[in-house]
Amino acid sequence: DSGVTQTPKHLITATGQRVTLRCSPRSGDLSVYWYQQSLDQGLQFLIQYYNGEERAKGNILERFSAQQFPDLHSELNLSSLELGDSALYFCASSVAEFLDDGYTFGSGTRLTVV
Amino acid sequence: AQKVTQAQTEISVVEKEDVTLDCVYETRDTTYYLFWYKQPPSGELVFLIRRNSFDEQNEISGRYSWNFQKSTSSFNFTITASQVVDSAVYFCALISSTGRRALTFGSGTRLQVQP
């Protein structure tokens, strides 16, 4: 168990719908990162939050948004879903705002859009 | 811009063979970190090693070893006496001390170890 908890593990939804993925970071970690792993794009960085504030943005679509709450858990919201959004979504956490010893990844949420 | 290239898409070996997974990286930064992650069939990403750009010492951990060569911008990973449990996708990744502070991953190498 990495200490980073992602829920749900699996999600199947229809095109056009909206879903929320949840991530609880490892105890003591202030940074949360979201990554998407798809067959055509590989592993891509989406967004980072540190202590409740957005810190870095990657290749995140406008239909996607995220936030980090006061208890440091984070949610990734995906709306107007398309077939191409089907992917494995990983959350990772670290103590510092900038990488120190590396990330600890959660086990991922597998999203299937049908 | 940063880039990580894993030219080997898939490698198949027979158990007990040694296998080397190649990783070539590009970055303009002088301070950076290189990583290897393992993704078994269950899907999670398992951290294997982190190496900073100032430490070119090779590292050995059991059957795993890593060869970091700045001169060729490579960070190769060798599994000695491979086992079926080593079957997984292996990712090399890079993060620099400036910029987005996010991991740039290679496309991964799928390793199949046959019994």
Side-chain angles (χ1 to χ4, degrees):
Chain A
D1 182 5
S2 69
V4 179
T5 304
Q6 288 189 249
T7 57
K9 291 197 182 307
H10 301 276
L11 200 48
I12 301 176
T13 190
T15 53
Q17 295 297 305
R18 172 189 168 95
V19 296
T20 298
L21 313 184
R22 183 188 169 104
C23 169
S24 294
R26 200 176 46 171
S27 177
D29 286 357
L30 299 178
S31 264
V32 170
Y33 312 78
W34 287 97
Y35 284 79
Q36 178 196 57
Q37 184 179 24
S38 62
L39 283 176
D40 53 346
Q41 298 290 329
L43 268 160
Q44 287 197 105
F45 168 69
L46 295 178
I47 197 164
Q48 178 204 3
Y49 279 82
Y50 175 77
N51 205 20
E53 294 189 6
E54 181 186 305
R55 278 289 187 256
K57 246 181 176 176
N59 299 322
I60 187 166
L61 299 172
E62 284 191 14
R63 300 183 285 108
F64 295 1
S65 65
Q67 58 185 126
Q68 186 179 28
F69 294 86
D71 67 351
L72 300 177
H73 91 272
S74 177
E75 292 181 356
L76 179 66
N77 300 297
L78 316 176
S79 61
S80 302
L81 285 167
E82 302 175 0
L83 295 177
D85 298 327
S86 295
L88 192 50
Y89 291 84
F90 285 105
C91 167
S93 71
S94 66
V95 171
E97 177 177 354
F98 303 124
L99 187 72
D100 45 12
D101 291 330
Y103 296 162
T104 300
F105 280 90
S107 55
T109 292
R110 186 171 294 280
L111 173 67
T112 303
V113 183
V114 297
Chain B
Q2 299 175 145
K3 188 177 178 182
V4 176
T5 302
Q6 294 180 255
Q8 304 152 308
T9 305
E10 187 160 346
I11 300 174
S12 183
V13 299
V14 176
E15 212 170 13
K16 296 184 184 174
E17 283 185 28
D18 298 347
V19 58
T20 295
L21 309 182
D22 297 333
C23 172
V24 174
Y25 63 92
E26 295 175 30
T27 179
R28 279 178 276 187
D29 291 313
T30 55
T31 302
Y32 52 89
Y33 301 87
L34 295 162
F35 300 81
W36 276 94
Y37 284 88
K38 174 182 179 180
Q39 187 174 41
S42 51
E44 71 271 24
L45 284 168
V46 179
F47 168 81
L48 296 178
I49 189 171
R50 168 186 181 262
R51 172 67 70 215
N52 75 56
S53 54
F54 298 108
D55 182 3
E56 288 193 71
Q57 277 192 327
N58 291 332
E59 179 150 344
I60 298 175
S61 176
R63 297 182 298 106
Y64 294 171
S65 63
W66 290 269
N67 180 258
F68 176 30
Q69 291 196 332
K70 284 178 78 170
S71 60
T72 56
S73 297
S74 64
F75 186 43
N76 296 337
F77 172 32
T78 297
I79 302 175
T80 303
S82 59
Q83 300 176 0
V84 173
V85 293
D86 296 327
S87 296
V89 180
Y90 291 86
F91 291 95
C92 181
L94 165 73
I95 189 165
S96 69
S97 62
T98 60
R100 282 186 332 196
R101 307 296 183 114
L103 283 166
T104 298
F105 283 90
S107 55
T109 298
R110 181 178 299 278
L111 175 64
Q112 302 259 29
V113 182
Q114 310 289 345

